[in-house]
Amino acid sequence: MVSRPARVAMLEQLQADGVRYMFGNPGTVEQGFLDELRHFPSLEYVLALQEAVAVGMADGYARATRRPTVVQLHTGVGLGNGIGMLYQAKRGHAPLVVIAGEAGLRYENMEAQMAADLVAMAEPVTKWATRVVDPESTLRTLRRAFKVAATPPYGPVLVVLPADVMDRPTTEAAVPVSYLDTASAPDPATLGRAADLLAGAERPIVVAGDGVHFSGAQQELARLAQTWGAEVWGADWSEVNLSVEHPAYAGQLGHMFGENSRRVTAAADAVLIVGTYALPEVYPALDGVFAPGAPVVHIDLDSDAIAKNFPVDLGLVADPRRTLAGLADALESRMSPESRRRAEAWLGRRAAERSYELAANQQKNEAALDPLALPTTAFAQELARQLPEDAILFDEALTASPDLFRHLPPTRPGHWFQTRGGSLGVGIPGAIGAQLAHPDKTVVAFTGDGGSMYTVQALWTAARYGIGAKFVICNNGSYKLLEDNIEQYWRSVDVPAHEHPEIFDLSRPAIDFTALAKSLGVPAVRVDKPGQAGAAVAEALGTPGPFLIDLVTGRGKEE
């Protein structure tokens, strides 16, 4: 192989792997390889004005493509800015390959300006973090980073690239990464053991998470739930793992408080967990999650997730799609006639209930709206009516989500993404990444007034590159989720209800989101009355580039 600087070889490696975009914010210690981008026209740099935005866009792109996505951060200060979003990516299993520069190995002991231990900084929020110290290992290290990021459980990795190492020559060949086939399944005897544990249940449930989506196991999950007669509850569920209109779909377990989850899980006499761990709340229950004697079977490609917090009767490190299919077959052959009749009757009742719910919602949708009411419902109805069927929705609406998605139900895999990990500000940049991944589809982001201000500068990137995502800021003049959570906290510790803390209020001064968007190059309108919804949706969808709608979903203290 011809010798060339490692900074050039690195870009050859990205090209060999078909990398289309590099999301980032440039800095001086990365300028060597960034300058070489002019020789690699197939690799487009997407400029963000702050590193959290760069990571958020890459996260959205990775979720929409399920492929490793490259992010460039500026040494320790840039990595620091991106840490919160990297935590989000780790919790959500986004396969990000983060590269960050350093001034050079020669300055190791100088404690120079911007010096920091980048690997140590990144270790808590990545699957793997490393540093290239020899130019002849640059491409080998990058290939390993791509493989680690894209091996279940997916997640972000960091490769630190010192400038003096990048300027030295290497003869490494740039060849495509060797990815792993993880579509493994248990042997028939093991599937039989799992079925024997579960077959006799009268009150079974499935707890499912995004590992179902990553495996493409939605149909297999639906079939198993129908066969077994089990409700499906979501945990760490931010993708369409099962259509919310499916009879078996029962809802989400508690994201915040484990007590909410325990009321569901402890009532079951058999539990199947797939594609998540038990259980990912902020304040999880420490015991009593499963009923005494209830068998628990856990399926996941992430061995760390199985029996992570509570014992299970059988753990299967295997691909959810193949395993659910085999388990459904094994259950069919082992369930008694009485159990099969119970499952069939249960499914019939659930289908009738779901049909009634959908019909009732339709009647509610057709009812006349109060012209002076908040426009949330009218807006959701108009958006549902005007959106193309294959639209992609990115949901960071939080407290507004139930009202909005009653009219925009998540039913199609790959067409709905919800925030995960707890970091605010993912909605706007995440939708930009999803739009780059699917330029032929309509992408709509929902975020809050509080969350939008973490990454609002992402609008500038959308305007710069003509990325036609649409953005909806659900504006209630407050951190409404904190208001809801503190009320539940008061009840849990017997504190009398009182006025919310002043720091939860965002209405003084009120943020002019339409003016802010326009200053960043994005046209915008405000919707504060139901009658304005139709025209605003039509204008947004008819605008070829990005567009923002400031949707009033609540009134701040000033209003």
Side-chain angles (χ1 to χ4, degrees):
M1 183 68 190
V2 175
S3 178
R4 72 280 196 218
R7 65 179 185 272
V8 175
M10 180 199 74
L11 298 176
E12 291 176 358
Q13 182 62 51
L14 301 185
Q15 189 175 60
D17 281 308
V19 173
R20 179 71 181 86
Y21 296 105
M22 178 188 293
F23 299 89
N25 182 265
T28 53
V29 295
E30 297 86 18
Q31 60 193 3
F33 66 79
L34 293 177
D35 186 46
E36 297 289 349
L37 281 170
R38 68 189 188 278
H39 301 303
F40 295 84
S42 65
L43 179 58
E44 183 176 351
Y45 190 93
V46 181
L47 175 63
L49 296 181
Q50 207 261 9
E51 287 87 355
V53 173
V55 178
M57 289 190 296
D59 180 76
Y61 185 84
R63 291 184 72 174
T65 61
R66 283 188 277 175
R67 290 179 55 83
T69 302
V70 176
V71 188
Q72 174 266 315
L73 302 180
H74 175 44
T75 194
V77 291
L79 177 59
N81 285 339
I83 288 288
M85 284 292 179
L86 282 174
Y87 176 79
Q88 176 94 357
K90 184 180 181 184
R91 295 290 306 205
H93 307 295
L96 304 186
V97 177
V98 181
I99 55 175
E102 276 186 336
L105 296 181
R106 72 184 74 180
Y107 309 115
E108 180 78 15
N109 296 315
M110 299 293 289
E111 293 191 4
Q113 179 77 351
M114 295 195 297
D117 187 342
L118 275 65
V119 169
M121 287 176 64
E123 281 177 338
V125 294
T126 57
K127 279 186 70 179
W128 182 53
T130 191
R131 187 186 192 207
V132 176
V133 295
D134 183 89
E136 292 287 354
S137 290
T138 302
L139 305 193
R140 179 182 296 109
T141 303
L142 280 172
R143 286 192 293 271
R144 180 180 173 189
F146 273 76
K147 187 195 77 167
V148 170
T151 299
Y154 302 147
V157 300
L158 171 74
V159 178
V160 182
L161 304 172
D164 54 359
V165 175
M166 291 297 97
D167 289 339
R168 288 164 54 195
T170 179
T171 58
E172 280 188 290
V175 297
V177 173
S178 300
Y179 293 109
L180 307 183
D181 184 344
T182 57
S184 58
D187 60 49
T190 303
L191 288 171
R193 286 176 56 204
D196 287 338
L197 287 166
L198 303 175
E202 296 182 359
R203 302 181 308 280
I205 65 168
V206 178
V207 178
D210 285 343
V212 172
H213 170 76
F214 298 143
S215 175
Q218 289 89 348
Q219 291 184 0
E220 288 74 13
L221 175 60
R223 181 188 162 218
L224 181 133
Q226 292 168 198
T227 299
W228 195 26
E231 294 180 341
V232 175
W233 288 86
D236 227 10
W237 177 302
S238 62
E239 310 278 351
V240 180
N241 301 297
L242 184 70
S243 168
V244 299
E245 295 182 348
H246 191 280
Y249 178 78
Q252 302 291 308
L253 294 176
H255 163 70
M256 187 64 61
F257 298 98
E259 282 300 318
N260 295 337
S261 301
R262 179 159 55 188
R263 282 193 286 270
V264 174
T265 56
D269 64 352
V271 180
L272 173 65
I273 306 171
V274 57
T276 185
Y277 68 94
L279 284 163
E281 305 98 351
V282 176
Y283 299 104
L286 298 176
D287 53 35
V289 170
F290 306 119
V296 180
V297 174
H298 196 156
I299 302 165
D300 209 311
L301 277 169
D302 181 3
S303 60
D304 182 63
I306 299 172
K308 184 185 186 81
N309 295 320
F310 305 101
V312 302
D313 293 277
L314 181 60
L316 306 176
V317 181
D319 173 54
R321 183 176 182 178
R322 291 192 175 189
T323 307
L324 288 172
L327 181 56
D329 290 340
L331 279 169
E332 281 186 329
S333 67
R334 284 166 170 79
M335 289 172 65
S336 67
E338 181 180 351
S339 293
R340 286 196 291 270
R341 284 193 295 269
R342 178 203 63 80
E344 291 171 2
W346 172 86
L347 184 63
R349 290 194 304 272
R350 293 285 297 190
E353 291 168 0
R354 186 54 48 87
S355 178
Y356 176 80
E357 290 170 4
L358 294 174
N361 284 338
Q362 183 62 32
Q363 286 184 341
K364 193 178 297 183
N365 292 346
E366 294 171 354
L369 295 173
D370 181 351
L372 300 179
L374 290 169
T376 313
T377 298
F379 180 83
Q381 289 177 349
E382 281 293 340
L383 192 58
R385 185 175 66 83
Q386 297 187 42
L387 266 183
E389 186 178 346
D390 64 348
I392 294 173
L393 306 179
F394 202 109
D395 174 23
E396 196 198 8
L398 300 179
T399 54
S401 291
D403 285 338
L404 290 167
F405 286 89
R406 189 174 298 114
H407 308 277
L408 300 160
T411 59
R412 298 182 62 182
H415 290 260
W416 176 79
F417 305 109
Q418 192 173 49
T419 181
R420 66 271 166 98
S423 301
L424 286 179
V426 300
I428 295 176
I432 292 172
Q435 185 72 80
L436 286 171
H438 297 288
D440 58 328
K441 290 182 169 56
T442 299
V443 177
V444 181
F446 301 88
T447 186
D449 47 345
S452 69
M453 292 305 295
Y454 281 64
T455 53
V456 72
Q457 58 270 69
L459 295 175
W460 180 90
T461 300
R464 178 184 179 97
Y465 297 100
I467 300 168
K470 316 305 175 187
F471 311 100
V472 180
I473 294 181
C474 300
N475 185 351
N476 56 31
S478 68
Y479 287 124
K480 179 63 176 171
L481 183 62
L482 296 183
E483 293 178 349
D484 292 347
N485 286 343
I486 201 168
E487 289 174 6
Q488 185 162 349
Y489 168 75
W490 291 336
R491 290 191 293 271
S492 71
V493 294
D494 296 323
V495 171
H498 52 277
E499 188 174 355
H500 296 133
E502 180 70 18
I503 54 175
F504 293 176
D505 173 53
L506 301 179
S507 65
R508 299 191 305 277
I511 301 168
D512 188 342
F513 285 106
T514 59
L516 181 57
K518 290 173 184 176
S519 75
L520 294 168
V522 175
V525 297
R526 179 177 169 92
V527 174
D528 57 12
K529 297 180 180 62
Q532 300 167 339
V537 171
E539 185 177 0
L541 298 181
T543 300
F547 195 93
L548 182 138
I549 294 174
D550 176 10
L551 176 66
V552 176
T553 60
R555 305 292 183 185
K557 290 187 177 181
E558 285 295 283
E559 298 186 291

